[in-house]
Each structure stands twice: as C-alpha cells, then as structure tokens.
Amino acid sequence: NNGERLHTVLRKFTHESNGAYHPGPSKKKDRILEKANIKYNGDASYVNVERPSAVYTSLDDLGSALLLLKKLVDQKDLVIPKCKDRFNAPYKYTGYRDMLLNVNVDDFVGELQLHFQRIYDLKNLLHPVYEIEHTLDGENCESVHPGLKSEQVL
C-alpha cells in the first residue's frame, strides 16, 4: 500500500542522511476524521496518517538531510506542500523544537518529523505540556507555512 511506500522512501532518505528512522504511531481514525472536518472540509485525503521521525545527532547531518530532501523533491520522488518550522519558532513554554514536513509520496500524505536526538529524548516527557499549550494557543503557537510549493519550503 501507499503507506508502506511512504515509509520505504523516508526510511531510505533517513539512513542516507545519517539519521535514525522511527516509524512512529499512525494517526487514529477519530483524529483523522476530526482534522479532515476542521481543516479540509471533510476530505481526509489531505490528512497525514503516518508520522515517522528522522532523528539526527548533529546540525551538519540535519542540514545534509534538508539538502537531500531538496534533491528528492527536484527528482519528483516526493512533494512537500507544508512545513511547520519549530526550530526557528519553538513552543513558548517548553522551548521544544522540531520540523514537521507534510510529505506526499505517490498521492499518500504523511508527516515527516525532523528532530535532534537530545530533544527527541524529551518528547514523551514534554507531551503533557504540549497538550496544554496546544489547547491554550491552538495552531497559533506554531510557525505554519501552508500552501507553499516544495521548492519554496526547502
């Protein structure tokens, strides 16, 4: 299926860019339907179902990963229509930083999460605070760049 293809492409990318690949949990059906109704007029085809992480130990490796993503976009192996850059706009209360990229592979949308290892190690501990912050601030607490073409995101 297309979810497996997404994981295959992103796993290969992550290993080629010296990262550690974590498939992550699939988004639950009720959350998919909720997001589809809130953001996409009920069209679930735009909702990212799979949420793998690529975890890096250095800024150099993360920078190389972004260059490799650009190459994959240029080769039309994938499309990146949306980016949430929380490296440059971290969460207010926790300072949590990552980058979330909506990635489209063969018309299947997933969310590739880019992390630094030391911050990724804290992710589960910080999740309760994220839930509170997300409730208080909603989507406004993130730097969102919707509707950009892949070339513009990268």
Side-chain angles (χ1 to χ4, degrees), residues 7 22-28 48-53 111 113 120 123-124:
H7 281 294
H22 302 274
S26 297
K27 195 168 278 177
K28 294 180 180 166
N48 57 62
V49 176
E50 300 297 328
R51 299 175 290 174
S53 292
E111 178 183 79
Q113 302 179 3
Y120 181 78
K123 186 175 181 178
N124 288 335

Side-chain angles (χ1 to χ4, degrees), residues 4-144:
E4 291 172 12
R5 171 85 174 119
L6 177 101
H7 281 294
T8 298
V9 169
L10 296 180
R11 183 178 290 109
K12 182 176 187 258
F13 148 77
T14 302
H15 291 165
E16 288 177 1
S17 60
N18 295 323
Y21 187 78
H22 302 274
S26 297
K27 195 168 278 177
K28 294 180 180 166
K29 184 177 180 179
D30 59 335
R31 181 66 177 137
I32 292 169
L33 295 175
E34 178 185 11
K35 273 194 115 165
N37 287 326
I38 291 171
K39 290 187 167 188
Y40 306 110
N41 295 321
D43 187 351
S45 67
Y46 292 104
V47 178
N48 57 62
V49 176
E50 300 297 328
R51 299 175 290 174
S53 292
V55 182
Y56 298 92
T57 58
S58 74
L59 185 58
D60 286 343
D61 286 342
L62 180 64
S64 295
L66 292 172
L67 291 173
L68 182 55
L69 278 174
K70 173 90 170 90
K71 180 180 175 185
L72 293 173
V73 167
D74 290 345
Q75 294 171 348
K76 307 215 182 305
D77 291 329
L78 53 85
V79 176
I80 300 173
K82 183 177 173 185
C83 173
K84 292 180 186 177
D85 181 3
R86 297 188 301 210
F87 286 123
N88 290 303
Y91 279 105
K92 287 189 280 193
Y93 305 109
T94 63
Y96 186 82
R97 297 168 185 260
D98 62 9
M99 182 177 285
L100 309 178
L101 302 167
N102 276 27
V103 178
N104 185 320
V105 175
D106 298 336
D107 293 323
F108 186 88
V109 179
E111 178 183 79
L112 176 61
Q113 302 179 3
L114 303 178
H115 302 278
F116 285 117
Q117 183 68 55
R118 295 177 95 187
I119 297 173
Y120 181 78
D121 291 342
L122 299 173
K123 186 175 181 178
N124 288 335
L125 292 172
L126 295 174
H127 195 73
V129 178
Y130 160 81
E131 291 291 333
I132 294 168
E133 184 169 12
H134 194 70
T135 300
L136 292 174
D137 292 341
E139 293 292 324
N140 295 328
C141 65
E142 300 169 344
S143 176
V144 180

